[in-house]
């Protein structure tokens, strides 16, 4: 399922298929009418995508407006985010954090490339994903093979790995959480926690 | 939340204590505003500071940080002694009438069974007395001196209004005003809602803070009822989901637990899990534990998990102790850990005692940070002057930093505090080479699996056999993972009563956890989520906000666990005959043949009221617990213990000050501060303009709250010669911060046990990366000790001293 576009102020039963290609069509305007307007609002040329605020657990609904026609080699760019007026919790409102989400997406301190810092180094070095995954997998395996505890002092089977730990997030999706759980647990990791406490 | 945000509009009284919803959950708080505006409902706020929530309140009471149980214990005493309880509810739906063992005791601050050397209890005596039939004995009149109700009454008799004032600093008359308002909701048609967050959890007795209010809500008949409930507002957008899916040391998805070392096989493990009813006619829903467990094992390992190998029982690790984050950093600090992964998490700023965290990280061989932003943790080895004064050359850790996508660049679901799984959609491509976390985990998995297949190594079986049958193994789709969490039939399933009847065809997405099997014919990653992605499609993406019944339940908007139920324990909103206590706010009811209503009944729908099953179907008693038996480590009744750093002795029992069973590591005990050196109480909190250490990377929010500050009451400021805008130093026995002083009327000095005590407020948002000015961070001050049950750090009550440094440099 790709990005699903929804029109505002309507009740949609999403069936898994994308609904309408442009907001105007969904609202019943014909594209010709829009083009005939003297000066179209910028938002009229955007695609609306439904999302939720990633910060707090109120889980406010947001609508993201993006430019870009979906053509190959055109990167969609979000130009505006506002509260979803149909959402039963926030009913269109957002707090100072949700209202500034666009600046989170475009933050200057967003990471763009995998980086590596060698022991004792003063700077980062840019590396490729392959290099990063290779090195990390090797470090993990060496540690696990060396320190995996198959049996405890009493001879009971315990199959745990405690010398490498994993701190999961609390703003990642359930689907990320499940993929993470599967990998972490099947390695026998028990030093495993999330943000529930802080 | 047992209830949901919009349901707050249905309440008759709101109490915000242990949280500050107006500041931290603004768009949820508006339901309080709605209740106040349209229904003239009152709002009580009890807090160490006059918060933004307090500014909206009808009654505000300031208390000393870390004294909530003393305050609420006093409320219990008031309710019981003034007979302000919902009697039918208490007698039938709680364990008030159950008889407790004769050898259970509470004396001088300790419950029976304490072992000082172990700092732990033998909890055997904290239990019911069983009759010859194996069921709990009870006295429905609540008169037996050994029944829970009478024991509770005796326990809280010590919490007089005078004692409450002495410990908390709340004036007696204000305290009694609160009691009176709360007591009004004991009427069958009146409810109160409790809204709390980390202001209750982040204490060395955090679980018991919440328990005390839960007891009050049970005494008032306010659980399971629209407009009532225990409403944990929670923190991050998906902390509920991460916990549901069990990303914690001891969990399996759906709140199942990992086996302990002493449980060698599946049969032994199940002996203490699938509880049998403790009272006649009860449901005891955990009797289905094995169905959930087997379906989970099938989701992990498919055909490789068989009845013969105990459903791959040994393929999951076993636990000797819980490895929560405080233990993780303790082990790191001792040099016992090699590697650490931080996925969207910034522990260098999030956990207590920065100095210890820094030293711990320096001992790692490797650190992997997966994050969309340049966190402090990923740069802990970098020198940032006084804000991170380290020498990179001396830090030998190899660090990786992997860029991830943000919410707008992926599909997926998050669980809000009302337990709604809400699906979201991708609206843009990620910048640079950023990848979804799922892809990073997938790439790591595939690479490691290749290595294990090629080289062999330590116990590869669970890893190389992990089910990973995604269309693109290097990039599983969120939709594929969501379907797996829901679960499906692995074989044709026939009706056990009539084998000619097919119930489920192989491959069918399950529609509810009632369909799960313990014979390996079904799989489900997380039984609680069964029903979220059915044959009818993705229920989490539903968008019909219609509201039959008008209570704001919107049952067709998104999907809530369990079973799309919006208010948990809703059977308790009806009397024993199945009639709503308050017909004006009907949720569910018995229609003569089955349970029905506007919400999904939290009950066996065909269970007749006269059969007498209790509404708390997860408990083997069928009732809710005023007395928790041995389920919490620090006592079956909450007791007031002082914070580990407290300005006074415990007025109830001077010999037992702080929680006697909270875990304290060696070395941390030594750096607790004494009141003679650190005379002021401090507490940490968030601001509405920021989310933890995340929004300081966001331009607008950085402009709104650009600089680290602390809040100091006028009286203390005068004593220290501090004016608003001055730079001050706040110091604990673990470290210091420099910040701008905000001198305020919103924090008053309190008289505690005859002593004048000041409270200092320390907001927590600044660090050394991002768009704000650089800051030191509240966790340089906070103590390394956690709640006795959850190990949540005690961020909300500790000791500091304050000193003026000079004029502000604006
Ligand atoms: S907009 Fe504000 S209240 Fe709503 S989810 Fe985001 S952070 Fe929470």
């Amino acid at each position: 399922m790709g990005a699903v576009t929804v029109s505002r102020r309507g009740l949609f039963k999403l069936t898994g298929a994308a609904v309408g290609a442009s907001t105007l069509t969904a609202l019943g305007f014909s594209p010709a009418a829009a083009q005939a307007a003297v000066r179209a609002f910028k938002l009229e040329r955007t695609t609306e995508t439904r999302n939720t605020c990633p910060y707090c657990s109120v889980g406010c609904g947001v609508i993201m407006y993006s430019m870009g026609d979906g053509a190959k080699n055109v990167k969609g760019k979000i130009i505006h985010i506002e509260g979803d007026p149909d959402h039963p919790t926030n009913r269109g409102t957002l707090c100072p954090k949700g209202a500034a989400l666009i600046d989170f997406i475009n933050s200057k301190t967003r990471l763009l490339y995998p980086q590596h810092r060698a022991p004792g180094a003063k700077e980062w070095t840019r590396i490729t994903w392959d290099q990063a995954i290779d090195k990390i997998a090797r470090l993990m395996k060496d540690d696990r093979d060396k320190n995996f505890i198959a049996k405890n002092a009493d001879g009971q089977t315990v199959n745990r790995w405690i010398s490498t730990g994993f701190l999961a997030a609390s703003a990642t999706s359930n689907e990320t959480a499940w993929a993470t759980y599967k990998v972490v647990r099947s390695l026998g990791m028990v030093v495993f926690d999330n943000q529930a406490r802080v | 939340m047992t209830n949901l945000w919009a349901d707050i509009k249905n309440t008759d009284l709101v109490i915000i204590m242990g949280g500050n919803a107006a500041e931290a959950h603004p768009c949820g708080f508006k339901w309080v505003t709605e209740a106040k505006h349209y229904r003239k409902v009152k709002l009580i706020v009890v807090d160490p500071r006059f918060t933004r929530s307090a500014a909206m309140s009808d009654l505000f009471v300031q208390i000393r940080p870390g004294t909530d149980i003393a305050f609420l214990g006093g409320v219990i005493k008031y309710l019981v002694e003034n007979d302000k309880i919902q009697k039918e509810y208490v007698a039938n739906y709680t364990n008030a009438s159950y008889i407790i063992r004769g050898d259970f005791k509470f004396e001088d601050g300790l419950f029976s069974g304490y072992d000082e050397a172990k700092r732990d209890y033998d909890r055997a005596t904290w239990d019911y007395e069983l009759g010859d039939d194996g069921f709990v004995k009870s006295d429905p009149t609540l008169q037996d001196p050994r029944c829970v109700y009478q024991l509770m009454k005796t326990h809280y008799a010590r919490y007089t209004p005078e004692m409450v004032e002495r410990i908390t600093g709340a004036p007696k008359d204000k305290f009694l005003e609160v009691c009176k308002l709360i007591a009004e909701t004991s009427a069958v048609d009146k409810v109160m809602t409790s809204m709390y967050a980390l202001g209750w959890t982040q204490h060395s007795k955090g679980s018991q803070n919440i328990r005390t209010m839960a007891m009050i809500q049970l005494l008032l008949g306010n659980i399971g009822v629209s407009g009532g409930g225990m409403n944990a507002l929670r923190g991050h957008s998906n902390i509920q989901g991460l916990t549901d899916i069990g990303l914690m040391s001891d969990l399996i998805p759906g709140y199942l637990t990992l086996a302990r070392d002493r449980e060698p096989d599946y049969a032994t493990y199940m002996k203490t899990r699938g509880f049998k009813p403790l009272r006649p006619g009860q449901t005891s829903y955990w009797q289905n534990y094995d169905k959930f467990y087997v379906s989970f094992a099938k989701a992990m390992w498919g055909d490789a998990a068989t009845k013969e190998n105990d459903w791959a029982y040994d393929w999951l690790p076993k636990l000797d102790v819980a490895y929560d984050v405080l233990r993780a950093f303790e082990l790191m600090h001792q040099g016992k850990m090699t590697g650490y992964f931080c996925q969207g998490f910034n522990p260098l700023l999030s956990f207590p005692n920065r100095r210890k965290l820094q030293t711990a990280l320096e001992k790692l061989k490797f650190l992997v940070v997966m994050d969309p932003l340049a966190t402090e943790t990923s740069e802990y080895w970098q020198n940032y002057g006084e804000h991170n004064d380290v020498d990179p050359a001396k830090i030998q850790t190899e660090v990786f930093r992997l860029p991830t996508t943000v919410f707008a660049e992926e599909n997926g679901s998050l669980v809000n505090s009302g337990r709604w799984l809400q699906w979201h959609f991708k609206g843009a491509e990620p910048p640079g080479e950023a990848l979804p976390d799922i892809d990073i985990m997938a790439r790591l998995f595939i690479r490691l699996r290749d290595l294990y297949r090629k080289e062999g190594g330590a116990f590869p079986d669970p890893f190389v056999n992990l089910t990973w049958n995604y269309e693109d193994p290097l990039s599983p789709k969120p939709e594929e993972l969501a379907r797996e969490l829901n679960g499906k039939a692995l074989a044709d399933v026939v009706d056990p009563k009539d084998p000619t009847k097919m119930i489920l065809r192989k491959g069918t997405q399950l529609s509810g956890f009632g369909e799960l099997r313990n014979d390996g014919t079904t799989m489900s990653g997380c039984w609680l989520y069964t029903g979220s992605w059915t044959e009818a499609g993705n229920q989490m993406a539903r968008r019909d906000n219609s509201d039959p019944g008008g209570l704001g339940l919107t049952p067709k908007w998104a999907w809530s666990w369990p079973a799309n139920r919006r208010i948990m324990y809703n059977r308790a909103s009806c009397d024993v005959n199945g009639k709503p206590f308050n017909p004006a706010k009907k949720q569910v009811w018995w229609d003569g043949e089955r349970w029905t209503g506007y919400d999904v009944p939290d009950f066996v729908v065909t269970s007749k009221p006269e059969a007498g099953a209790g509404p708390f179907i997860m408990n083997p008693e069928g009732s809710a617990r005023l007395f928790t038996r041995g389920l919490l480590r620090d006592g079956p009744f909450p007791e007031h213990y002082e914070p580990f750093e407290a300005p006074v002795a415990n007025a109830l029992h001077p010999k037992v000050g702080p929680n006697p069973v909270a875990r304290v590591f060696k070395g941390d005990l030594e750096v607790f501060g004494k009141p003679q050196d650190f005379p002021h109480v401090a507490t940490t909190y968030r601001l509405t303009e920021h989310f933890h250490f995340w929004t300081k990377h966001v331009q607008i929010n950085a402009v709104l709250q650009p600089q680290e500050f602390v809040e100091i009451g006028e009286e203390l400021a005068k004593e220290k010669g501090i004016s608003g805008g001055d730079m001050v130093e706040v110091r604990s026995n673990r470290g210091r911060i420099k910040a701008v002083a905000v001198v305020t009327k919103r924090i008053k000095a309190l008289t505690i046990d005859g002593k004048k005590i000041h409270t200092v407020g320390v907001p927590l948002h600044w660090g050394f990366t991002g768009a704000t000015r650089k800051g030191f961070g509240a966790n340089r001050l906070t103590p390394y000790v956690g709640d006795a049950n959850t190990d949540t750090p005690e961020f909300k009550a500790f000791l500091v001293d304050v000193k003026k440094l000079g004029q502000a440099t604006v």
Side-chain angles (χ1 to χ4, degrees):
Chain A
M1 196 191 295
V4 170
T5 319
V6 292
S7 84
R8 297 253 307 264
R9 306 224 62 86
L11 304 180
F12 276 85
K13 286 210 176 87
L14 292 182
T15 55
V19 182
S22 91
T23 316
L24 290 175
T25 319
L27 288 174
F29 293 103
S30 75
Q35 280 152 14
V38 178
R39 182 168 161 272
F41 288 114
K42 202 171 172 188
L43 286 186
E44 287 179 351
R45 287 180 285 122
T46 58
T47 304
E48 295 181 10
T49 309
R50 188 161 62 88
N51 210 299
T52 53
C53 174
Y55 292 126
C56 95
S57 48
V58 176
C60 293
V62 300
I63 298 175
M64 309 187 297
Y65 296 81
S66 50
M67 301 293 272
D69 56 5
K72 196 168 161 49
N73 302 327
V74 174
K75 257 197 171 186
K77 184 168 171 55
I78 294 173
I79 57 157
H80 176 67
I81 296 180
E82 65 184 30
D84 178 351
D86 293 324
H87 195 281
T89 308
N90 64 308
R91 289 186 172 176
T93 61
L94 292 175
C95 81
K97 298 177 287 290
L101 275 171
I102 186 85
D103 278 4
F104 165 42
I105 299 173
N106 298 327
S107 168
K108 286 202 184 76
T109 27
R110 274 202 71 176
L111 304 174
L112 303 176
Y113 312 102
Q115 288 167 302
H116 177 252
R117 183 258 176 187
K122 283 196 171 63
E123 297 299 334
W124 290 106
T125 321
R126 181 172 164 184
I127 54 173
T128 66
W129 274 108
D130 268 348
Q131 288 168 327
I133 299 289
D134 270 344
K135 277 176 184 273
I136 297 167
R138 175 46 66 196
L139 283 163
M140 288 172 81
K141 184 162 189 294
D142 287 353
D143 179 54
R144 186 174 179 276
D145 287 350
K146 189 166 153 217
N147 292 316
F148 187 79
I149 305 170
K151 287 192 190 308
N152 66 10
D154 299 331
Q156 295 160 323
T157 300
V158 296
N159 288 334
R160 64 177 164 250
W161 179 24
I162 53 177
S163 49
T164 289
F166 199 103
L167 201 47
S170 297
T172 54
S173 66
N174 290 327
E175 295 68 33
T176 295
W178 173 232
T180 303
Y181 188 94
K182 287 178 74 173
V183 175
V184 167
R185 271 295 194 247
S186 61
L187 283 167
M189 272 199 209
V190 287
V191 183
F192 187 23
D193 210 334
N194 68 37
Q195 247 147 348
R197 300 178 170 90
V198 295
Chain B
M1 291 173 104
T2 54
N3 295 38
L4 61 148
W5 285 105
D7 177 62
I8 294 167
K9 73 175 178 165
N10 301 314
T11 197
D12 299 297
L13 178 67
V14 183
I15 182 160
I16 297 183
M17 184 172 176
N20 178 11
E23 181 111 35
H25 304 86
C27 298
F29 180 82
K30 80 145 155 287
W31 292 101
V32 177
T33 314
E34 178 119 346
K36 281 174 65 68
H37 184 75
Y38 290 108
R39 306 196 27 258
K40 307 295 170 222
V41 158
K42 289 207 163 79
L43 166 64
I44 303 173
V45 173
V46 182
D47 201 277
R49 301 178 299 125
F50 186 83
T51 59
R52 275 178 160 144
S53 302
M56 298 293 292
S57 70
D58 300 275
L59 181 55
F60 167 70
V61 186
Q62 188 185 328
I63 59 168
R64 172 169 65 99
T67 63
D68 303 72
I69 293 174
F71 191 94
L72 295 173
V75 175
I76 293 181
K77 176 183 163 72
Y78 179 95
L79 297 176
V80 170
E81 291 185 357
N82 292 284
D83 209 18
K84 292 289 187 187
I85 62 168
Q86 214 278 49
K87 290 205 193 64
E88 183 175 345
Y89 191 106
V90 171
N92 294 296
Y93 299 163
T94 75
N95 65 1
S97 64
Y98 299 2
I99 309 297
I100 300 302
R101 280 171 58 147
D103 47 3
F104 165 74
K105 269 203 303 281
F106 177 79
E107 263 170 9
D108 299 330
L110 294 170
F111 294 92
S112 38
Y114 189 61
D115 180 334
E116 201 175 342
K118 285 194 193 150
R119 282 183 64 79
D120 206 355
Y121 284 106
D122 172 354
R123 291 170 257 168
T125 61
W126 311 354
D127 212 343
Y128 304 134
E129 215 167 277
L130 299 185
D132 298 334
D133 54 3
F135 291 131
V136 180
K137 288 188 189 167
S138 85
D139 172 22
T141 69
L142 309 184
Q143 295 307 312
D144 190 302
R146 300 292 315 163
C147 81
V148 167
Y149 191 74
Q150 293 299 330
L151 289 174
M152 179 183 74
K153 192 171 167 180
T154 313
H155 189 84
Y156 293 106
R158 298 166 296 137
Y159 290 63
T160 61
E162 294 73 24
M163 185 56 92
V164 170
E165 178 165 343
R166 206 175 137 194
I167 296 173
T168 70
K172 184 177 149 179
D173 55 329
K174 279 268 186 118
F175 164 72
L176 287 171
E177 238 183 283
V178 173
C179 290
K180 259 191 214 120
L181 280 177
I182 292 178
E184 284 171 17
T185 68
S186 63
V188 288
D189 60 349
K190 287 265 181 296
V191 281
M192 170 175 84
T193 181
S194 158
M195 297 168 67
Y196 68 92
L198 286 84
W200 267 351
T201 58
Q202 291 181 336
H203 290 276
S204 47
K205 64 268 178 171
S207 310
Q208 299 282 18
N209 284 336
I210 299 159
R211 276 269 309 138
T212 323
M213 181 58 94
M215 289 169 73
I216 292 174
Q217 287 291 62
L218 288 170
L219 291 171
L220 297 164
N222 288 342
I223 299 283
V225 181
S226 168
M230 283 303 291
N231 295 310
L233 309 183
R234 308 236 51 169
H236 286 73
S237 55
N238 202 30
I239 189 50
Q240 186 67 55
L242 270 278
T243 315
D244 297 341
I245 301 172
L247 284 84
M248 288 176 104
S249 178
D250 60 335
L251 292 181
I252 293 172
Y255 302 95
L256 312 184
T257 48
L258 273 192
R260 293 276 165 166
D261 286 11
R262 58 176 181 272
E263 297 168 322
D265 52 39
Y266 184 59
T268 315
Y269 169 80
M270 278 308 300
K271 261 189 211 146
T272 53
R273 304 292 196 298
F275 304 113
K276 293 276 168 300
L278 278 168
R279 293 281 297 162
Q282 299 308 321
T283 317
S284 192
Y285 203 81
W286 281 122
Q287 289 187 95
N288 296 301
Y289 196 103
D290 61 341
K291 299 175 185 162
F292 309 152
Y293 186 94
V294 172
S295 298
F296 159 76
K298 295 301 283 186
M300 290 288 282
W301 296 295
D303 291 344
T306 61
K307 194 171 174 18
E308 291 64 44
N309 71 2
D310 257 3
W311 310 110
Y313 182 70
D314 283 337
W315 287 13
L316 281 174
K318 295 195 181 56
L319 273 189
D320 49 351
V321 291
Y323 294 88
D324 57 283
V325 276
L326 292 185
R327 190 182 299 278
F329 274 84
E330 170 66 21
L331 288 172
M332 224 183 272
H333 196 254
Q334 291 174 18
K336 290 188 177 154
M337 291 196 64
T338 312
Y340 205 57
F341 285 76
C342 298
Q343 181 190 56
F345 201 145
N346 194 0
L348 186 67
L349 264 58
S350 310
F351 298 128
N353 194 353
R354 173 86 64 88
R355 187 176 295 154
K356 178 167 178 170
L357 304 173
Q358 175 73 31
T359 320
L361 288 171
E362 287 176 12
K363 292 183 182 168
L364 284 174
K365 181 171 159 58
F366 72 96
L367 171 72
V368 181
V369 176
M370 303 157 62
D371 210 285
L373 298 166
T375 62
E376 280 80 0
T377 303
S378 71
E379 305 219 341
Y380 81 93
W381 48 272
Q382 189 71 284
N383 188 296
Y384 279 89
E386 61 177 351
H387 297 102
N388 201 52
D389 196 6
V390 298
D391 177 3
K394 291 206 181 112
I395 298 175
Q396 292 304 307
T397 314
E398 189 169 0
V399 186
F400 298 85
R401 189 155 76 173
L402 309 177
T404 66
T405 50
V406 302
F407 72 105
E409 297 150 4
E410 56 164 42
N411 290 356
S413 63
L414 307 179
V415 191
N416 78 356
S417 30
R419 296 167 286 101
W420 296 5
L421 283 72
Q422 306 194 91
W423 193 261
H424 63 260
F425 299 93
K426 175 173 171 174
E429 294 301 323
E433 293 179 5
L435 282 181
D437 292 85
I438 294 175
D439 292 34
I440 301 174
M441 294 312 296
R443 288 180 187 209
L444 263 179
F445 169 73
I446 299 292
R447 194 70 50 98
L448 256 176
R449 191 179 62 180
D450 287 349
L451 286 178
Y452 272 100
R453 280 180 176 162
K454 210 165 79 205
E455 302 172 0
F459 197 51
D461 307 40
F463 196 65
V464 296
N465 284 303
L466 185 68
T467 302
W468 205 267
N469 48 5
Y470 307 109
E471 205 180 292
D472 177 357
L474 289 170
S475 179
K477 289 198 188 70
E479 291 75 7
E480 293 175 288
L481 290 153
R483 291 169 65 97
E484 205 172 49
L485 277 167
N486 180 87
K488 66 177 181 191
L490 295 171
D492 290 347
V493 175
V494 294
D495 188 342
K497 284 179 209 129
D498 176 6
T500 62
K501 234 170 89 192
M502 165 106 67
I503 305 178
L504 291 167
R505 198 169 282 287
K506 180 176 172 179
T508 310
Q509 284 293 112
L510 304 176
S511 60
F513 49 73
E515 292 173 350
L516 294 173
R517 297 300 185 112
N518 62 4
D519 59 3
T521 54
T522 59
M523 69 83 125
S524 159
C526 177
W527 69 275
L528 269 183
Y529 289 0
T530 310
S532 61
W533 195 307
T534 65
E535 284 299 308
N538 184 354
Q539 303 300 296
M540 303 172 276
R542 293 183 308 163
R543 204 174 152 73
D544 175 346
N545 60 10
S546 59
D547 179 24
L551 294 174
L553 301 176
T554 55
K556 291 182 184 160
W557 184 276
W559 185 87
S560 68
W561 71 255
N564 199 34
R565 186 169 295 127
R566 303 287 154 145
I567 297 182
M568 288 171 89
Y569 318 116
N570 56 29
R571 160 69 182 89
S573 68
C574 292
D575 63 16
V576 285
N577 300 315
K579 289 207 181 59
F581 279 121
N582 183 357
K585 287 185 203 151
K586 277 163 63 156
Q587 302 161 239
V588 297
W589 55 89
W590 175 254
D591 73 0
E593 272 162 37
R594 50 196 297 124
W595 287 89
T596 179
Y598 302 123
D599 199 357
V600 179
D602 196 352
F603 212 54
V604 180
V605 290
T606 51
S607 174
K608 293 188 175 74
E610 49 280 21
F616 294 88
I617 60 170
M618 300 311 283
N619 291 351
E621 302 94 318
S623 58
R625 303 181 181 112
L626 294 167
F627 178 97
T628 45
R629 308 166 67 203
L631 290 167
L632 292 182
R633 287 186 60 229
D634 43 0
F637 289 130
E639 172 67 6
H640 166 70
Y641 295 111
E642 285 292 334
F644 273 80
E645 290 187 340
V648 290
N650 193 322
L652 288 163
H653 26 72
K655 274 194 225 131
V656 186
N659 193 329
V661 299
R663 182 191 63 195
V664 183
F665 294 114
K666 210 181 148 338
D668 295 325
L669 189 71
E670 290 72 10
V671 289
F672 289 143
K674 304 269 177 313
Q676 55 270 30
D677 309 320
F678 302 94
H680 314 304
V681 179
T683 190
T684 64
Y685 46 92
R686 295 212 278 118
L687 304 171
T688 205
E689 295 82 3
H690 276 306
F691 199 80
H692 293 263
F693 320 105
W694 181 351
T695 48
K696 66 182 162 61
H697 294 266
V698 178
Q699 186 61 30
I700 295 179
N701 303 95
V703 169
L704 289 172
Q705 288 288 4
Q707 187 170 10
E708 188 165 31
F709 67 89
V710 294
E711 292 193 84
I712 295 167
E714 286 180 337
E715 208 173 328
L716 177 60
K718 206 167 151 206
E719 254 176 50
K720 301 266 177 181
I722 297 167
S723 315
D726 286 350
M727 285 303 286
V728 293
E729 176 190 85
V730 180
R731 203 164 53 89
S732 81
N733 209 23
R734 290 159 295 275
R736 62 190 71 205
I737 65 170
K738 283 191 235 167
V740 175
V742 170
V743 175
T744 178
K745 291 186 198 312
R746 289 177 285 117
I747 307 177
K748 302 256 188 265
L750 294 172
T751 305
I752 306 293
D753 212 357
K755 239 171 109 176
K756 180 178 283 186
I757 302 290
H758 297 287
T759 302
V760 176
V762 188
L764 48 77
H765 302 290
W766 296 272
F768 52 85
T769 65
T772 56
R773 292 189 192 177
K774 293 189 182 17
F776 289 83
N779 73 334
R780 288 177 191 265
L781 305 173
T782 44
Y784 206 86
V785 62
D787 169 49
N789 293 286
T790 65
D791 298 304
T792 303
E794 187 153 69
F795 282 146
K796 297 302 186 203
F798 53 98
L799 293 179
V800 296
D801 198 7
V802 183
K803 154 173 118 185
K804 177 170 166 168
L805 289 178
Q807 247 72 46
T809 49
V810 179

